[in-house]
Amino acid sequence: MKRVMSSLALALSLCLLNPLAQAATVHYWYHFDNADNTMTDLIARFEKQNPDIRIAAENIPWNSYYDNLYTALVGGSAPDAAMVKTFALPRLQQMEVLEPLDDYINQWDGKNNLLENTVKIARGGMDKHYFLPVQYIVSYLYYRTDYFQKAGLTPPKTCDDFYADMKKLTQDTNGDGKTDIYGFGFRGGVGGQDMWAPLIMPYGGEFKAGGLTKPAVLQASQRIVDAWKARLFPPSATTDGFKDVIGAFKAGKTAMTIHHIGSANDLNAVLGDNVSAVPLPVCNGKRWAPIAVESNAIFTTAADKAATWKWIAFLSSAENNAQFNRATGQLPVTKSDTQAWHGHPKRFLDATVNSLPDAEDYPNTPQLSDFVNTVWPVNMQQALLGQISVEQMNSKIETLFSAQP
Protein backbone atom coordinates (compact mmCIF):
# COMPACT_ATOMS: atom_id res chain seq x y z
CA MET A 1 0.00 0.00 0.00
CA LYS A 2 2.83 2.33 0.89
CA ARG A 3 4.44 1.58 -2.48
CA VAL A 4 1.21 2.46 -4.33
CA MET A 5 0.82 5.73 -2.41
CA SER A 6 4.44 6.56 -3.10
CA SER A 7 3.92 6.00 -6.86
CA LEU A 8 0.83 8.22 -6.88
CA ALA A 9 2.68 10.95 -5.03
CA LEU A 10 5.56 10.74 -7.51
CA ALA A 11 3.18 10.96 -10.49
CA LEU A 12 1.44 13.97 -8.98
CA SER A 13 4.70 15.76 -8.31
CA LEU A 14 5.86 15.15 -11.89
CA CYS A 15 2.63 16.63 -13.24
CA LEU A 16 3.06 19.71 -11.07
CA LEU A 17 6.63 20.11 -12.25
CA ASN A 18 5.68 19.50 -15.90
CA PRO A 19 2.40 21.26 -16.77
CA LEU A 20 2.56 19.94 -20.35
CA ALA A 21 1.93 16.47 -18.98
CA GLN A 22 -1.64 17.64 -18.29
CA ALA A 23 -1.95 19.87 -21.35
CA ALA A 24 -4.75 19.60 -23.85
CA THR A 25 -3.50 18.88 -27.36
CA VAL A 26 -5.04 20.67 -30.36
CA HIS A 27 -4.46 18.94 -33.67
CA TYR A 28 -4.39 21.49 -36.50
CA TRP A 29 -4.05 21.16 -40.28
CA TYR A 30 -2.87 23.96 -42.53
CA HIS A 31 -1.33 24.44 -45.95
CA PHE A 32 1.47 26.85 -46.83
CA ASP A 33 2.67 26.98 -50.43
CA ASN A 34 6.26 27.22 -49.28
CA ALA A 35 7.02 24.15 -47.20
CA ASP A 36 9.99 26.00 -45.67
CA ASN A 37 7.56 28.37 -43.95
CA THR A 38 6.40 26.74 -40.75
CA MET A 39 4.29 27.77 -37.78
CA THR A 40 7.01 26.96 -35.25
CA ASP A 41 7.39 30.50 -33.90
CA LEU A 42 3.64 31.09 -33.67
CA ILE A 43 3.12 27.80 -31.88
CA ALA A 44 5.91 28.59 -29.43
CA ARG A 45 4.37 31.99 -28.68
CA PHE A 46 0.91 30.51 -28.18
CA GLU A 47 2.13 27.70 -25.92
CA LYS A 48 4.07 30.19 -23.81
CA GLN A 49 0.88 32.20 -23.33
CA ASN A 50 -1.19 29.04 -22.82
CA PRO A 51 0.99 26.48 -21.00
CA ASP A 52 -2.00 24.17 -20.57
CA ILE A 53 -2.43 23.73 -24.35
CA ARG A 54 -0.14 22.04 -26.87
CA ILE A 55 -0.46 22.53 -30.63
CA ALA A 56 0.22 19.61 -32.98
CA ALA A 57 0.22 21.32 -36.39
CA GLU A 58 0.67 19.56 -39.72
CA ASN A 59 1.29 21.22 -43.09
CA ILE A 60 -0.73 19.21 -45.63
CA PRO A 61 0.20 19.56 -49.35
CA TRP A 62 -2.33 21.71 -51.20
CA ASN A 63 -2.89 19.32 -54.09
CA SER A 64 -4.31 16.71 -51.74
CA TYR A 65 -5.49 18.97 -48.93
CA TYR A 66 -9.26 18.65 -49.29
CA ASP A 67 -9.20 15.01 -50.33
CA ASN A 68 -7.27 14.26 -47.15
CA LEU A 69 -9.52 16.45 -45.03
CA TYR A 70 -12.82 14.99 -46.28
CA THR A 71 -11.45 11.46 -45.94
CA ALA A 72 -10.25 12.13 -42.40
CA LEU A 73 -13.60 13.62 -41.41
CA VAL A 74 -15.48 10.60 -42.73
CA GLY A 75 -12.99 8.14 -41.27
CA GLY A 76 -12.88 9.63 -37.79
CA SER A 77 -9.27 10.78 -37.91
CA ALA A 78 -9.84 14.48 -38.53
CA PRO A 79 -7.88 17.26 -36.83
CA ASP A 80 -9.58 19.46 -34.23
CA ALA A 81 -9.31 22.50 -36.51
CA ALA A 82 -8.12 23.27 -40.02
CA MET A 83 -7.63 26.04 -42.56
CA VAL A 84 -10.56 26.10 -44.98
CA LYS A 85 -11.59 28.16 -47.98
CA THR A 86 -15.12 29.49 -48.31
CA PHE A 87 -15.99 27.16 -51.19
CA ALA A 88 -15.73 24.21 -48.77
CA LEU A 89 -18.40 25.58 -46.44
CA PRO A 90 -21.49 24.03 -48.11
CA ARG A 91 -19.99 20.56 -48.26
CA LEU A 92 -18.66 20.66 -44.72
CA GLN A 93 -22.02 21.86 -43.44
CA GLN A 94 -23.79 19.07 -45.33
CA MET A 95 -21.43 16.63 -43.63
CA GLU A 96 -22.52 18.13 -40.28
CA VAL A 97 -18.94 18.37 -39.06
CA LEU A 98 -18.67 22.10 -38.29
CA GLU A 99 -18.86 23.59 -34.81
CA PRO A 100 -20.82 26.89 -34.68
CA LEU A 101 -18.57 29.75 -33.58
CA ASP A 102 -21.11 32.50 -32.81
CA ASP A 103 -20.87 32.22 -29.01
CA TYR A 104 -17.08 32.19 -29.12
CA ILE A 105 -16.92 35.19 -31.48
CA ASN A 106 -19.44 37.25 -29.52
CA GLN A 107 -17.40 36.86 -26.34
CA TRP A 108 -14.05 37.48 -28.04
CA ASP A 109 -12.41 40.87 -27.56
CA GLY A 110 -10.74 40.64 -30.98
CA LYS A 111 -13.93 40.58 -33.05
CA ASN A 112 -14.08 44.37 -33.60
CA ASN A 113 -10.56 44.37 -35.03
CA LEU A 114 -11.53 42.14 -37.96
CA LEU A 115 -12.14 43.64 -41.41
CA GLU A 116 -15.92 43.57 -41.75
CA ASN A 117 -16.16 42.27 -45.29
CA THR A 118 -13.88 39.31 -44.55
CA VAL A 119 -16.24 38.27 -41.76
CA LYS A 120 -19.23 38.62 -44.08
CA ILE A 121 -17.60 36.58 -46.84
CA ALA A 122 -16.40 33.91 -44.40
CA ARG A 123 -19.95 33.48 -43.15
CA GLY A 124 -20.96 32.48 -46.68
CA GLY A 125 -24.62 33.43 -46.30
CA MET A 126 -25.16 30.82 -43.58
CA ASP A 127 -27.35 31.46 -40.55
CA LYS A 128 -24.39 30.93 -38.23
CA HIS A 129 -20.66 31.60 -38.22
CA TYR A 130 -18.69 28.42 -38.84
CA PHE A 131 -15.47 30.01 -40.14
CA LEU A 132 -13.13 32.54 -38.50
CA PRO A 133 -11.21 34.47 -41.21
CA VAL A 134 -7.43 34.34 -41.09
CA GLN A 135 -6.30 35.72 -44.49
CA TYR A 136 -7.71 37.11 -47.72
CA ILE A 137 -6.97 38.29 -51.24
CA VAL A 138 -8.99 40.46 -53.65
CA SER A 139 -8.48 40.53 -57.41
CA TYR A 140 -7.40 43.79 -59.03
CA LEU A 141 -5.88 45.01 -62.30
CA TYR A 142 -2.14 44.74 -62.89
CA TYR A 143 -0.80 47.06 -65.58
CA ARG A 144 2.55 47.88 -67.15
CA THR A 145 3.27 51.46 -66.19
CA ASP A 146 5.95 51.80 -68.90
CA TYR A 147 3.55 50.71 -71.65
CA PHE A 148 0.82 53.03 -70.41
CA GLN A 149 3.21 55.97 -70.14
CA LYS A 150 4.58 55.41 -73.63
CA ALA A 151 1.03 55.27 -75.04
CA GLY A 152 -0.02 58.38 -73.11
CA LEU A 153 -2.67 56.45 -71.16
CA THR A 154 -3.81 56.33 -67.57
CA PRO A 155 -5.10 53.16 -65.87
CA PRO A 156 -8.70 52.40 -66.91
CA LYS A 157 -11.46 53.42 -64.53
CA THR A 158 -14.42 52.05 -66.49
CA CYS A 159 -15.14 49.08 -68.73
CA ASP A 160 -15.16 51.39 -71.76
CA ASP A 161 -11.71 52.69 -70.78
CA PHE A 162 -10.52 49.12 -70.25
CA TYR A 163 -11.46 47.89 -73.72
CA ALA A 164 -10.24 51.10 -75.39
CA ASP A 165 -6.87 50.82 -73.64
CA MET A 166 -6.67 47.14 -74.52
CA LYS A 167 -6.97 48.01 -78.20
CA LYS A 168 -4.44 50.85 -78.07
CA LEU A 169 -1.89 48.73 -76.19
CA THR A 170 -2.04 45.80 -78.62
CA GLN A 171 0.96 46.55 -80.82
CA ASP A 172 3.35 45.31 -83.47
CA THR A 173 6.43 47.04 -82.07
CA ASN A 174 8.95 46.07 -84.76
CA GLY A 175 6.83 46.32 -87.90
CA ASP A 176 7.07 42.67 -88.90
CA GLY A 177 3.32 42.24 -89.11
CA LYS A 178 3.09 40.21 -85.90
CA THR A 179 1.70 41.36 -82.58
CA ASP A 180 4.40 41.73 -79.94
CA ILE A 181 2.30 43.15 -77.10
CA TYR A 182 -1.29 42.16 -76.39
CA GLY A 183 -3.54 44.52 -74.50
CA PHE A 184 -4.77 41.99 -71.98
CA GLY A 185 -3.65 38.61 -70.67
CA PHE A 186 -6.92 36.67 -70.43
CA ARG A 187 -7.03 33.37 -68.54
CA GLY A 188 -9.29 30.91 -70.32
CA GLY A 189 -8.23 27.95 -68.19
CA VAL A 190 -9.21 27.00 -64.65
CA GLY A 191 -9.36 30.08 -62.42
CA GLY A 192 -10.17 32.45 -65.26
CA GLN A 193 -13.68 33.06 -63.96
CA ASP A 194 -12.09 35.82 -61.88
CA MET A 195 -11.38 37.71 -65.12
CA TRP A 196 -14.79 37.01 -66.63
CA ALA A 197 -17.07 37.78 -63.68
CA PRO A 198 -15.87 41.37 -63.01
CA LEU A 199 -16.67 42.28 -66.62
CA ILE A 200 -20.20 40.85 -66.71
CA MET A 201 -21.67 40.62 -63.20
CA PRO A 202 -22.11 44.40 -62.75
CA TYR A 203 -24.68 44.31 -65.57
CA GLY A 204 -27.19 42.55 -63.34
CA GLY A 205 -25.62 39.11 -63.45
CA GLU A 206 -26.84 36.52 -60.95
CA PHE A 207 -25.90 32.88 -60.54
CA LYS A 208 -29.41 31.54 -60.93
CA ALA A 209 -31.98 30.75 -63.60
CA GLY A 210 -32.28 33.76 -65.90
CA GLY A 211 -29.54 35.62 -64.07
CA LEU A 212 -26.82 35.30 -66.72
CA THR A 213 -28.95 35.44 -69.87
CA LYS A 214 -30.24 38.96 -69.35
CA PRO A 215 -29.59 41.07 -72.49
CA ALA A 216 -27.08 43.38 -70.78
CA VAL A 217 -25.15 40.43 -69.32
CA LEU A 218 -25.01 38.71 -72.70
CA GLN A 219 -23.77 41.91 -74.33
CA ALA A 220 -21.00 42.16 -71.72
CA SER A 221 -20.10 38.50 -72.30
CA GLN A 222 -20.00 39.04 -76.06
CA ARG A 223 -17.62 41.95 -75.57
CA ILE A 224 -15.06 39.55 -74.10
CA VAL A 225 -15.42 37.18 -77.05
CA ASP A 226 -15.16 40.10 -79.49
CA ALA A 227 -11.90 41.22 -77.86
CA TRP A 228 -10.54 37.71 -78.42
CA LYS A 229 -11.66 37.77 -82.06
CA ALA A 230 -9.93 41.14 -82.46
CA ARG A 231 -6.73 39.46 -81.24
CA LEU A 232 -6.37 41.65 -78.19
CA PHE A 233 -5.51 38.55 -76.10
CA PRO A 234 -2.56 36.19 -76.72
CA PRO A 235 -3.37 33.24 -79.04
CA SER A 236 -3.02 30.84 -76.12
CA ALA A 237 -5.67 32.64 -74.04
CA THR A 238 -8.30 29.94 -74.59
CA THR A 239 -6.43 27.52 -72.32
CA ASP A 240 -4.00 29.78 -70.43
CA GLY A 241 -3.71 29.14 -66.70
CA PHE A 242 -2.16 31.14 -63.89
CA LYS A 243 1.49 30.47 -64.77
CA ASP A 244 0.89 31.26 -68.45
CA VAL A 245 -0.82 34.58 -67.74
CA ILE A 246 1.68 35.79 -65.16
CA GLY A 247 4.60 34.54 -67.25
CA ALA A 248 3.41 36.48 -70.30
CA PHE A 249 2.96 39.62 -68.22
CA LYS A 250 6.46 39.33 -66.73
CA ALA A 251 7.91 38.74 -70.20
CA GLY A 252 6.31 41.93 -71.52
CA LYS A 253 3.88 40.15 -73.84
CA THR A 254 0.78 41.64 -72.22
CA ALA A 255 0.03 45.13 -70.92
CA MET A 256 -2.67 44.24 -68.38
CA THR A 257 -3.92 41.24 -66.50
CA ILE A 258 -6.08 40.43 -63.48
CA HIS A 259 -4.85 38.68 -60.36
CA HIS A 260 -4.32 39.46 -56.68
CA ILE A 261 -1.57 40.46 -54.27
CA GLY A 262 -0.22 36.92 -54.21
CA SER A 263 1.70 37.77 -57.39
CA ALA A 264 2.81 41.23 -56.30
CA ASN A 265 6.24 40.51 -54.84
CA ASP A 266 7.21 38.22 -57.72
CA LEU A 267 6.15 40.77 -60.34
CA ASN A 268 7.80 43.60 -58.46
CA ALA A 269 11.06 41.65 -58.26
CA VAL A 270 11.10 41.25 -62.05
CA LEU A 271 9.54 44.50 -63.26
CA GLY A 272 10.12 47.00 -60.45
CA ASP A 273 8.43 50.32 -61.08
CA ASN A 274 7.21 49.11 -64.47
CA VAL A 275 4.33 47.30 -62.79
CA SER A 276 1.55 48.71 -60.66
CA ALA A 277 -2.05 47.90 -59.76
CA VAL A 278 -5.43 49.58 -59.43
CA PRO A 279 -8.93 48.36 -58.55
CA LEU A 280 -10.82 46.64 -61.34
CA PRO A 281 -12.72 48.90 -63.73
CA VAL A 282 -16.24 50.03 -62.89
CA CYS A 283 -18.75 48.53 -65.30
CA ASN A 284 -22.33 49.78 -65.50
CA GLY A 285 -21.62 52.00 -62.50
CA LYS A 286 -20.50 49.07 -60.31
CA ARG A 287 -17.35 47.18 -59.43
CA TRP A 288 -17.34 43.40 -58.86
CA ALA A 289 -14.03 42.34 -57.32
CA PRO A 290 -13.57 38.60 -56.67
CA ILE A 291 -12.44 37.86 -53.14
CA ALA A 292 -11.07 34.71 -51.55
CA VAL A 293 -11.18 34.49 -47.77
CA GLU A 294 -9.42 31.68 -45.99
CA SER A 295 -10.53 30.83 -42.49
CA ASN A 296 -10.14 28.38 -39.67
CA ALA A 297 -12.89 25.99 -38.64
CA ILE A 298 -13.41 23.85 -35.56
CA PHE A 299 -14.84 20.38 -36.12
CA THR A 300 -17.51 18.85 -33.95
CA THR A 301 -15.17 15.99 -33.10
CA ALA A 302 -12.61 18.31 -31.48
CA ALA A 303 -11.53 16.84 -28.15
CA ASP A 304 -11.29 20.22 -26.40
CA LYS A 305 -13.31 22.86 -28.23
CA ALA A 306 -12.43 25.68 -25.82
CA ALA A 307 -8.71 25.07 -26.28
CA THR A 308 -9.17 24.80 -30.03
CA TRP A 309 -11.01 28.12 -30.11
CA LYS A 310 -8.16 29.77 -28.19
CA TRP A 311 -5.77 28.61 -30.92
CA ILE A 312 -7.74 29.80 -33.95
CA ALA A 313 -8.61 33.10 -32.20
CA PHE A 314 -4.89 33.57 -31.53
CA LEU A 315 -4.16 33.22 -35.26
CA SER A 316 -6.75 35.90 -36.10
CA SER A 317 -5.54 38.33 -33.44
CA ALA A 318 -3.39 41.40 -33.96
CA GLU A 319 0.33 40.79 -34.59
CA ASN A 320 -0.13 37.02 -34.68
CA ASN A 321 -2.23 37.42 -37.81
CA ALA A 322 0.46 39.58 -39.38
CA GLN A 323 3.11 36.93 -38.71
CA PHE A 324 0.84 34.23 -40.10
CA ASN A 325 0.36 36.15 -43.35
CA ARG A 326 4.01 37.00 -43.75
CA ALA A 327 4.45 33.24 -44.07
CA THR A 328 1.57 32.75 -46.53
CA GLY A 329 2.06 35.85 -48.69
CA GLN A 330 -1.57 36.88 -48.32
CA LEU A 331 -3.12 39.70 -46.30
CA PRO A 332 -4.09 40.03 -42.64
CA VAL A 333 -7.76 40.21 -41.68
CA THR A 334 -7.17 42.53 -38.73
CA LYS A 335 -7.55 46.29 -39.08
CA SER A 336 -4.49 47.05 -36.97
CA ASP A 337 -2.20 44.69 -38.90
CA THR A 338 -3.49 46.05 -42.20
CA GLN A 339 -2.60 49.61 -41.19
CA ALA A 340 0.95 48.55 -40.31
CA TRP A 341 1.43 46.04 -43.16
CA HIS A 342 4.81 45.97 -44.93
CA GLY A 343 4.63 42.53 -46.55
CA HIS A 344 4.05 43.97 -50.03
CA PRO A 345 4.82 47.28 -51.75
CA LYS A 346 2.23 49.87 -50.75
CA ARG A 347 0.72 50.31 -54.22
CA PHE A 348 -0.45 46.69 -54.26
CA LEU A 349 -1.80 46.87 -50.73
CA ASP A 350 -3.68 50.05 -51.64
CA ALA A 351 -5.22 48.36 -54.69
CA THR A 352 -6.43 45.52 -52.46
CA VAL A 353 -7.77 47.63 -49.60
CA ASN A 354 -9.51 50.00 -52.00
CA SER A 355 -11.15 47.00 -53.66
CA LEU A 356 -12.36 45.39 -50.44
CA PRO A 357 -15.64 47.39 -50.16
CA ASP A 358 -16.64 46.09 -53.62
CA ALA A 359 -15.48 42.52 -53.01
CA GLU A 360 -17.89 39.75 -54.00
CA ASP A 361 -17.81 36.00 -53.67
CA TYR A 362 -19.36 33.29 -55.80
CA PRO A 363 -22.39 31.39 -54.48
CA ASN A 364 -21.41 29.05 -51.71
CA THR A 365 -23.20 26.03 -53.11
CA PRO A 366 -22.08 22.47 -53.84
CA GLN A 367 -22.05 23.35 -57.56
CA LEU A 368 -19.25 25.89 -57.17
CA SER A 369 -16.46 23.34 -57.54
CA ASP A 370 -17.84 22.11 -60.88
CA PHE A 371 -18.27 25.70 -62.07
CA VAL A 372 -14.64 26.56 -61.36
CA ASN A 373 -13.00 23.34 -62.49
CA THR A 374 -15.02 22.29 -65.54
CA VAL A 375 -18.18 24.15 -66.50
CA TRP A 376 -16.70 27.63 -66.78
CA PRO A 377 -13.37 26.81 -68.50
CA VAL A 378 -14.89 24.30 -70.95
CA ASN A 379 -17.68 26.62 -72.03
CA MET A 380 -15.48 29.71 -72.08
CA GLN A 381 -13.07 27.98 -74.42
CA GLN A 382 -15.91 26.89 -76.71
CA ALA A 383 -17.38 30.40 -76.74
CA LEU A 384 -14.03 31.98 -77.61
CA LEU A 385 -13.51 29.49 -80.43
CA GLY A 386 -16.98 30.16 -81.79
CA GLN A 387 -18.22 26.62 -81.10
CA ILE A 388 -21.08 27.91 -78.95
CA SER A 389 -22.66 31.33 -78.40
CA VAL A 390 -22.27 33.35 -75.21
CA GLU A 391 -25.95 32.73 -74.60
CA GLN A 392 -25.35 28.98 -74.70
CA MET A 393 -22.37 29.35 -72.41
CA ASN A 394 -24.18 31.46 -69.83
CA SER A 395 -27.25 29.24 -70.04
CA LYS A 396 -25.16 26.20 -69.11
CA ILE A 397 -23.76 28.03 -66.09
CA GLU A 398 -27.28 29.05 -65.06
CA THR A 399 -28.43 25.46 -65.36
CA LEU A 400 -25.57 24.29 -63.14
CA PHE A 401 -26.40 26.71 -60.33
CA SER A 402 -30.13 26.09 -60.66
CA ALA A 403 -29.73 22.32 -60.27
CA GLN A 404 -30.63 20.70 -56.99
CA PRO A 405 -27.54 19.51 -55.05
Side-chain angles (χ1 to χ4, degrees):
M1 185 68 178
K2 289 183 178 180
R3 185 175 298 176
V4 172
M5 293 299 293
S6 177
S7 297
L8 289 173
L10 177 61
L12 179 60
S13 64
L14 288 174
C15 286
L16 292 173
L17 290 172
N18 181 18
L20 288 181
Q22 304 177 74
T25 298
V26 174
H27 295 272
Y28 176 68
W29 282 11
Y30 68 102
H31 60 84
F32 285 177
D33 292 337
N34 186 348
D36 294 332
N37 294 337
T38 68
M39 303 192 70
T40 303
D41 291 342
L42 277 168
I43 292 171
R45 183 189 303 172
F46 176 84
E47 291 182 345
K48 184 176 181 180
Q49 296 175 12
N50 301 273
D52 58 335
I53 303 173
R54 295 181 61 201
I55 303 300
E58 187 174 357
N59 190 4
I60 307 296
W62 170 247
N63 288 343
S64 59
Y65 188 80
Y66 282 97
D67 287 341
N68 287 338
L69 181 60
Y70 296 144
T71 300
L73 286 164
V74 171
S77 58
D80 299 304
M83 283 176 65
V84 281
K85 291 184 180 292
T86 311
F87 72 75
L89 179 54
R91 180 169 181 179
L92 291 171
Q93 193 196 38
Q94 283 183 339
M95 295 171 69
E96 299 182 347
V97 295
L98 294 172
E99 182 72 14
L101 302 180
D102 298 77
D103 290 344
Y104 293 110
I105 292 173
N106 290 336
Q107 297 172 29
W108 178 43
D109 59 7
K111 67 177 183 179
N112 292 327
N113 194 30
L114 294 177
L115 296 167
E116 289 84 356
N117 213 16
T118 65
V119 178
K120 175 187 174 183
I121 296 297
R123 185 165 183 166
M126 300 294 178
D127 59 347
K128 295 180 180 179
H129 289 281
Y130 294 100
F131 287 3
L132 182 66
V134 70
Q135 62 184 23
Y136 81 100
I137 45 177
V138 181
S139 293
Y140 52 58
L141 184 73
Y142 280 106
Y143 70 100
R144 288 289 300 256
T145 56
D146 49 346
Y147 292 176
F148 271 76
Q149 184 177 7
K150 187 175 181 180
L153 300 172
T154 57
K157 295 182 178 180
T158 68
C159 257
D160 287 342
D161 295 340
F162 175 66
Y163 283 103
D165 290 351
M166 195 188 302
K167 186 174 182 179
K168 293 174 183 176
L169 291 163
T170 299
Q171 301 172 24
D172 169 11
T173 59
N174 57 14
D176 65 354
K178 298 179 181 178
T179 300
D180 301 299
I181 301 172
Y182 292 90
F184 182 63
F186 185 76
R187 180 176 175 179
V190 174
Q193 74 281 344
D194 286 348
M195 297 190 177
W196 168 83
L199 301 176
I200 73 159
M201 296 306 290
Y203 293 92
E206 298 175 276
F207 289 96
K208 65 178 186 180
L212 294 175
T213 49
K214 299 173 183 178
V217 177
L218 292 177
Q219 289 174 11
S221 301
Q222 187 62 49
R223 202 171 189 183
I224 297 173
V225 173
D226 290 344
W228 156 257
K229 291 180 178 178
R231 300 181 180 180
L232 306 183
F233 308 159
S236 57
T238 54
T239 57
D240 274 351
F242 163 70
K243 290 184 178 180
D244 306 300
V245 170
I246 296 300
F249 188 80
K250 286 195 292 189
K253 296 179 180 179
T254 56
M256 296 183 285
T257 197
I258 292 173
H259 202 234
H260 51 67
I261 203 164
S263 296
N265 289 341
D266 183 29
L267 291 175
N268 188 64
V270 174
L271 300 173
D273 292 339
N274 287 331
V275 58
S276 192
V278 291
L280 292 167
V282 171
C283 303
N284 193 36
K286 302 175 185 177
R287 179 179 289 118
W288 203 99
I291 186 172
V293 176
E294 188 130 24
S295 305
N296 282 312
I298 298 174
F299 300 115
T300 54
T301 53
D304 189 327
K305 295 182 177 64
T308 306
W309 163 256
K310 282 187 178 181
W311 168 242
I312 70 168
F314 171 87
L315 294 177
S316 293
S317 298
E319 298 184 12
N320 306 321
N321 192 238
Q323 184 172 342
F324 181 93
N325 282 285
R326 281 193 290 271
T328 65
Q330 297 196 23
L331 290 176
V333 295
T334 58
K335 297 173 185 176
S336 55
D337 288 330
T338 299
Q339 292 169 356
W341 186 248
H342 299 293
H344 302 85
K346 187 175 184 299
R347 60 192 186 278
F348 303 115
L349 177 62
D350 289 345
T352 301
V353 173
N354 292 336
S355 300
L356 188 55
D358 301 304
E360 298 283 353
D361 198 10
Y362 300 96
N364 286 304
T365 66
Q367 296 94 331
L368 183 58
S369 179
D370 288 339
F371 166 72
V372 171
N373 293 315
T374 56
V375 175
W376 185 86
V378 167
N379 284 280
M380 186 76 255
Q381 181 180 18
Q382 292 176 346
L384 291 173
L385 296 175
Q387 297 170 354
I388 61 173
S389 66
V390 293
E391 183 171 6
Q392 289 173 309
M393 171 184 172
N394 288 12
S395 180
K396 289 182 180 180
I397 296 172
E398 282 182 2
T399 300
L400 172 70
F401 281 102
S402 302
Q404 294 297 319

